[in-house]
């Protein structure tokens, strides 16, 4: 169950939208922040707030790759695999991340800190290969830079 303050804030966001569906991503992201991922309970709460059916919220949630319908680590690593990053050898970075973290794509480290997810285009083509960790973008990746980033991100809680 969401706290009353969050519920009030989300109701205000929905009320300020031209249509409730316009606020759907904001509502889902806030509920995801609260729960750590978009739980079934959160889908139901979003549906009530938005005046949509749970199925409609589910359809929206599964469309957006940054809405998580299953548990994820404390920090999600999105590694770009679009054409520009691919041309800059993102496959090497992806394999390095998989080996370093001991997980496959979509997996979460045993300590629950990182989840590794591929994404299509981060808008950082000039700095490819690129990734983000917990929403912080990083570009011009090398295995050595990845090591520094992971260490810093792990130490920043």
């Amino acid at each position: 169950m969401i706290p009353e303050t969050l519920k009030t804030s989300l109701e205000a966001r929905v009320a300020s939208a031209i249509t409730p569906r316009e606020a759907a991503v904001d509502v889902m992201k806030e509920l995801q922040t609260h729960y750590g991922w978009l739980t079934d309970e959160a889908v139901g709460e979003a549906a009530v707030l938005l005046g949509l059916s749970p199925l409609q919220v589910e359809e929206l949630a599964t469309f957006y790759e940054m809405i998580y319908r299953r548990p994820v680590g404390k920090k999600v690593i999105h590694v770009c695999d679009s054409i520009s990053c691919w041309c800059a050898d993102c496959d090497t970075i992806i394999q390095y991340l998989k080996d370093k973290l001991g997980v496959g794509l979509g997996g979460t480290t045993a300590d629950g800190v990182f989840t590794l997810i591929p994404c299509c285009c981060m808008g950082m083509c000039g700095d490819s290969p690129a990734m983000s960790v917990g929403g912080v973008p990083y570009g011009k990746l090398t295995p050595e830079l990845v090591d520094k980033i992971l260490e810093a991100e792990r130490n920043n809680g």
Side-chain angles (χ1 to χ4, degrees), residues 79-98 105 118-119 128-131 141:
V79 60
C80 183
D81 64 0
S82 69
I83 189 70
S84 293
C85 285
W86 180 78
C87 289
D89 199 24
C90 70
D91 288 343
T92 297
I93 296 300
I94 292 169
Q95 189 59 53
Y96 186 78
L97 282 162
K98 288 165 51 175
L105 293 174
C119 71
S128 58
M131 70 178 187
L141 299 173

Side-chain angles (χ1 to χ4, degrees), residues 58-78:
E58 178 73 19
E59 289 169 344
L60 291 167
T62 57
F63 178 79
Y64 293 101
E65 65 184 26
M66 296 207 184
I67 301 294
Y68 313 119
R69 285 294 285 128
R70 60 184 177 82
V72 293
K74 291 178 186 163
K75 295 189 177 190
V76 176
I77 300 170
H78 286 99

Side-chain angles (χ1 to χ4, degrees), residues 84-128:
S84 293
C85 285
W86 180 78
C87 289
D89 199 24
C90 70
D91 288 343
T92 297
I93 296 300
I94 292 169
Q95 189 59 53
Y96 186 78
L97 282 162
K98 288 165 51 175
D99 294 343
K100 180 82 176 175
L101 299 171
V103 299
L105 293 174
T108 299
T109 56
D111 60 6
V113 175
F114 296 114
T115 296
L116 180 61
I117 299 176
C119 71
C120 183
C121 197
M122 297 178 61
M124 296 181 61
C125 301
D127 291 323
S128 58

